[in-house]
């Protein structure tokens, strides 16, 4: 491309959106990521950085505005790194997110799969049930500017609950009154690192102060200030994090007043949440997400569900009433204990939880002979490892339900599953985090070949078309000729006995849900007769 200089301005047409919600334009053959640009607009863009293959800039003037542009309703928009999409209508935000997921699946995954819909939020404001405010000298208590660790002091956030704003203000006033020093990330000095508030649907709140030390001065005054600010407060906790890092949560916790946990309801179940418990931050949209995952799971009451990356058990436990059994696996020991307690709290007896890495847990269960009907995965942003995908595919579930928080790693993993014989059938996006660039997706995968379908292959050399019988066809033949039924496991056993390559037999059914007994001799002969009839073995 021709040389383009930084800190110059250009009139550009915004063609679409990047993965983080920026507008995308082109200048002299280079891609320009334009902060604040909307699709279909012509804008004057200031170029902030010119790289070798891309350019980054921001809108300084909208020349031809989009009808989808709106005036941001937050005074901190552009200074706080939380909401990135308040300059567009919610309808445009939803379409941008749906398109982002579909583009990733097609471009990165190489799959011809449409994202048929995006499930938007009825309440795109005040939806978060957890607030984590970083603290810096001043004190400033708010959120980081985009791409920095510079804290913008935020009195209120339109995504957070009013209770979070009141408790934040009380904590800041306490720091100012008693000259409590804020933590300074570069030097590692100072005391208060984060203000944390968790709320539930009943209007109750749990407060935690994360500090660089074992305690803080004027603890009683802190509790008094917080209780005076928020009537629904149920507990005040002190979290200790003395490591020189930017991790939010601590290694240990001490209750200063009240309870150290909070109850919340989700999909009719009750979950008890401590400060470090992982829990989805948008309960209304979480229920939408879980209902879609349950729909894709297609449970009828007798299935075995394997829930990998189960956290505190939310997805698996919400499916338990429609399944035969649920087995969850999670690498965090505290989360596993929470999942077990949540199962007991809700009277769920057909769920058990294992502590271990997803791949390790799946291999262990596979070695025990587990053959789940449905596998549900909800991995972190990095997605699944090749090892986990291989192990899941080897277990042979009828369906895989993939819940993803990152379209790029989702697309990569769908392509990997396709290489293992699992095709992505449906994909639906869910807007879990309105006004931000994040989006969740639920995908249904199933085996490429259904065991009860007939596969027809063309023999290239002869032009002859041969019918490869399903197990159902073999069962029908035996029933009609011999008058008795044969189980699919017996057919699989006889196929192995006569040397048929099971890896090349897409109709192989190897799942045994009951105690296994060797195939009786008369049924062996009947099945061999059927295999000869269909031309799978010689006369």
């Amino acid at each position: 491309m021709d040389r383009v200089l930084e800190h110059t301005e250009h009139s550009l047409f915004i063609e679409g959106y990047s993965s983080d919600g920026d507008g995308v334009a082109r200048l002299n053959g280079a891609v320009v990521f334009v902060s604040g640009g909307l699709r279909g607009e012509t804008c004057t863009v200031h170029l902030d950085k010119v790289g070798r293959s891309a350019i980054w800039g921001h809108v300084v003037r909208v020349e031809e505005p989009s009808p989808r542009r709106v005036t941001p309703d937050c005074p901190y928009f552009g200074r706080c790194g939380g909401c990135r999409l308040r300059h567009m209508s919610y309808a445009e935000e939803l379409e941008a997110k749906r398109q982002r997921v579909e583009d990733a699946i097609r471009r990165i995954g190489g799959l011809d799969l449409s994202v048929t819909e995006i499930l938007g939020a009825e309440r795109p404001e005040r939806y978060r049930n957890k607030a984590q405010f970083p603290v810096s000298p001043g004190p400033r208590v708010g959120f980081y500017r985009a791409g920095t660790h510079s804290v913008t002091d935020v009195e209120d956030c339109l995504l957070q609950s009013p209770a979070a704003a009141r408790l934040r203000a009380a904590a800041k006033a306490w720091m100012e009154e008693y000259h409590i020093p804020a933590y300074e990330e570069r030097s590692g000095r100072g005391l208060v690192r984060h203000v944390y508030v968790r709320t539930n649907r009943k209007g109750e709140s749990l407060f935690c102060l994360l500090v660089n030390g074992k305690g803080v001065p004027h603890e009683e005054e802190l509790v008094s200030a917080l209780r005076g600010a928020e009537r629904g407060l149920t507990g005040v906790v002190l979290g200790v994090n003395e490591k020189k890092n930017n991790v939010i949560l601590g290694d240990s916790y001490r209750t200063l007043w009240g309870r150290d946990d909070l109850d919340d309801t989700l999909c009719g179940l009750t979950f008890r949440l401590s400060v470090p418990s992982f829990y989805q931050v948008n309960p209304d949209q979480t229920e939408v997400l879980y209902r879609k995952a349950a729909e894709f799971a297609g449970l009828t009451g007798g299935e075995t569900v394997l829930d990998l990356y189960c956290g505190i058990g939310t997805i698996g436990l919400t499916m338990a009433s429609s399944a035969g059994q649920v087995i969850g696996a999670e690498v965090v020991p505290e989360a596993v204990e929470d999942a077990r307690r949540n199962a007991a709290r809700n009277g769920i007896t057909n769920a058990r939880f294992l502590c271990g890495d997803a791949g390790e847990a799946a291999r262990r269960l596979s070695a025990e002979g587990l053959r789940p009907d449905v596998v549900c995965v909800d991995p972190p942003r990095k997605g699944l490892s090749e090892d986990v995908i291989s192990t899941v595919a080897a277990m042979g579930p009828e369906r895989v339900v993939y819940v993803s928080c990152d379209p790029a790693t989702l697309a990569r993993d769908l392509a990997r599953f396709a290489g293992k014989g699992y095709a992505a059938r449906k994909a639906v996006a869910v807007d879990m985090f309105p006004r931000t660039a994040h989006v969740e997706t639920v995908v249904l995968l199933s085996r490429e070949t259904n065991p009860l379908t007939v596969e027809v292959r063309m023999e290239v050399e002869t032009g002859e078309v041969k019918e490869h019988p399903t197990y159902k066809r073999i069962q029908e033949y035996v029933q009609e000729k011999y008058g008795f039924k044969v189980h699919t496991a017996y057919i699989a056993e006889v196929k192995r006995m006569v040397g048929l390559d099971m890896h090349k037999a897409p109709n192989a059914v190897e799942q045994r849900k009951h105690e296994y007994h060797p195939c009786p001799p008369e049924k062996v002969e009947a099945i061999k007769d059927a295999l000869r009839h269909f031309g799978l073995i010689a006369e």
Side-chain angles (χ1 to χ4, degrees):
M1 67 177 180
D2 295 337
R3 188 183 180 194
V4 177
L5 299 178
E6 289 184 352
H7 306 301
T8 57
E9 295 183 358
H10 302 264
S11 178
L12 300 178
F13 177 74
I14 310 300
E15 301 174 358
Y17 299 109
S18 69
S19 61
D20 58 3
D22 285 343
V24 175
R26 295 186 182 275
L27 177 61
N28 294 347
V31 174
V32 185
F33 298 107
V34 182
S35 176
L38 262 63
R39 178 179 53 175
E41 291 184 333
T42 300
C43 303
T44 300
V45 178
H46 179 92
L47 306 185
D48 301 309
K49 180 182 177 181
V50 177
R52 291 185 177 180
S53 58
I55 302 171
W56 290 263
H58 67 274
V59 172
V60 294
R61 184 171 60 259
V62 180
E63 301 169 14
E64 297 178 17
S66 164
R68 296 174 287 272
R69 178 173 286 277
V70 299
T71 301
D73 52 358
C74 175
Y76 306 102
F77 180 71
R79 294 187 288 143
C80 162
C83 299
R84 296 182 61 88
L85 307 180
R86 285 195 173 276
H87 59 303
M88 64 176 67
S89 68
Y90 189 48
E92 176 70 358
E93 176 183 336
L94 291 177
E95 176 54 23
K97 290 177 176 180
R98 188 205 66 78
Q99 190 66 53
R100 175 190 169 192
V101 177
E102 184 170 284
D103 287 348
I105 291 174
R106 293 179 183 273
R107 180 172 49 84
I108 300 174
L111 304 177
D112 184 18
L113 178 68
S114 297
V115 178
T116 55
E117 62 179 329
I118 180 167
L119 304 176
E122 291 185 11
R123 188 168 60 105
E125 312 292 351
R126 304 287 186 189
Y127 60 82
R128 287 187 63 92
N129 58 20
K130 182 174 69 174
Q132 297 175 141
F133 300 100
V135 180
S136 68
R140 294 194 298 273
V141 183
F143 299 108
Y144 294 124
R145 290 178 65 93
T148 77
H149 273 205
S150 174
V151 177
T152 298
D153 202 51
V154 174
E155 292 184 5
D156 188 21
C157 171
L158 296 179
L159 301 188
Q160 309 289 354
S161 68
R166 291 190 287 266
L167 290 167
R168 170 213 164 271
K172 181 183 178 183
W174 167 80
M175 290 182 66
E176 292 172 334
E177 181 176 357
Y178 296 102
H179 306 288
I180 309 297
Y183 180 72
E184 189 177 52
E185 193 172 300
R186 286 187 177 182
S187 67
R189 294 191 295 269
L191 190 58
V192 179
R193 303 176 70 131
H194 277 82
V195 166
Y196 172 111
V197 180
R198 171 163 259 163
T199 56
N200 65 11
R201 285 173 153 178
K202 293 189 292 184
E204 297 172 332
S205 304
L206 175 66
F207 179 93
C208 180
L209 194 72
L210 282 305
V211 299
N212 178 37
K214 297 293 192 296
V216 294
H218 303 285
E219 290 181 355
E220 291 184 5
E221 289 82 356
L222 171 63
V223 170
S224 178
L226 295 169
R227 293 182 68 185
E230 182 54 40
R231 294 181 59 184
L233 186 66
T234 61
V236 178
V237 176
L238 192 74
V240 176
N241 179 6
E242 297 180 287
K243 296 178 181 178
K244 191 175 179 180
N245 57 26
N246 56 10
V247 174
I248 296 175
L249 297 181
D251 297 321
S252 62
Y253 299 89
R254 177 164 59 90
T255 304
L256 303 184
W257 170 81
R259 293 172 49 184
D260 64 353
D261 57 19
L262 203 63
D263 289 338
D264 201 14
T265 57
L266 191 69
C267 297
L269 303 179
T270 299
F271 295 91
R272 182 162 294 171
L273 312 169
S274 61
V275 170
S277 296
F278 173 79
Y279 191 64
Q280 293 282 9
V281 300
N282 186 340
D284 293 347
Q285 284 299 92
T286 298
E287 291 188 340
V288 171
L289 178 76
Y290 288 1
R291 282 197 295 269
K292 183 58 65 173
E295 175 191 324
F296 282 1
L299 303 178
T300 60
E303 293 86 357
T304 293
V305 178
L306 176 58
D307 181 14
L308 298 178
Y309 306 93
C310 71
I312 63 171
T314 48
I315 292 181
L317 292 176
T318 58
M319 291 184 179
S321 62
S322 302
Q325 66 167 329
V326 171
I327 302 171
E330 171 59 50
V331 73
V332 180
E334 294 82 2
V336 174
E337 288 305 312
D338 281 343
R340 291 167 178 164
R341 284 192 287 265
N342 286 327
R345 184 175 294 111
N346 290 282
I348 296 173
T349 59
N350 63 334
R352 63 186 176 103
F353 298 93
L354 310 175
C355 186
D357 168 80
E360 171 194 334
R363 285 192 299 275
R364 188 193 326 166
L365 292 167
S366 180
E368 294 173 3
L370 179 75
R371 294 294 180 266
D373 302 284
V374 177
V375 174
C376 184
V377 295
D378 184 9
R381 194 165 299 279
K382 66 180 180 180
L384 302 174
S385 67
E386 287 268 19
D387 178 52
V388 171
I389 293 173
S390 296
T391 304
V392 168
M395 297 176 93
E398 293 182 12
R399 294 174 295 283
V400 175
V401 179
Y402 194 138
V403 178
S404 168
C405 61
D406 187 273
T409 55
L410 168 68
R412 177 202 66 198
D413 292 347
L414 295 182
R416 291 174 173 175
F417 267 115
K420 303 292 182 183
Y422 279 82
R425 308 293 185 185
K426 298 178 183 178
V428 172
V430 181
D431 189 25
M432 289 283 287
F433 312 104
R435 313 327 248 149
T436 77
H438 302 294
V439 61
E440 298 263 333
T441 312
V442 189
V443 179
L444 169 64
L445 302 98
S446 62
R447 286 182 295 190
E448 288 279 9
T449 306
N450 188 307
L452 297 183
T453 61
V454 174
E455 182 180 14
V456 178
R457 294 177 178 172
M458 179 70 70
E459 301 296 332
V460 177
E461 293 81 6
T462 63
E464 178 186 3
V465 177
K466 291 185 178 180
E467 181 187 32
H468 290 251
T470 65
Y471 280 71
K472 184 178 181 180
R473 292 294 306 279
I474 293 173
Q475 289 172 320
E476 290 172 346
Y477 177 89
V478 171
Q479 175 77 41
E480 182 177 348
K481 184 171 182 178
Y482 293 92
F484 53 71
K485 297 180 180 179
V486 290
H487 194 277
T488 55
Y490 289 161
I491 299 173
E493 180 183 346
V494 174
K495 280 190 170 185
R496 290 191 190 90
M497 188 185 302
V498 298
L500 289 176
D501 186 350
M502 300 302 291
H503 294 290
K504 296 181 180 179
N507 298 328
V509 176
E510 301 185 58
Q511 183 173 338
R512 298 166 184 163
K513 295 184 179 179
H514 307 287
E515 183 179 353
Y516 179 69
H517 300 284
C519 184
E522 67 274 17
K523 293 188 176 182
V524 170
E525 292 306 315
I527 294 169
K528 285 183 178 180
D529 180 26
L531 297 179
R532 285 191 290 267
H533 172 79
F534 289 109
L536 295 182
I537 59 176
E539 294 292 333

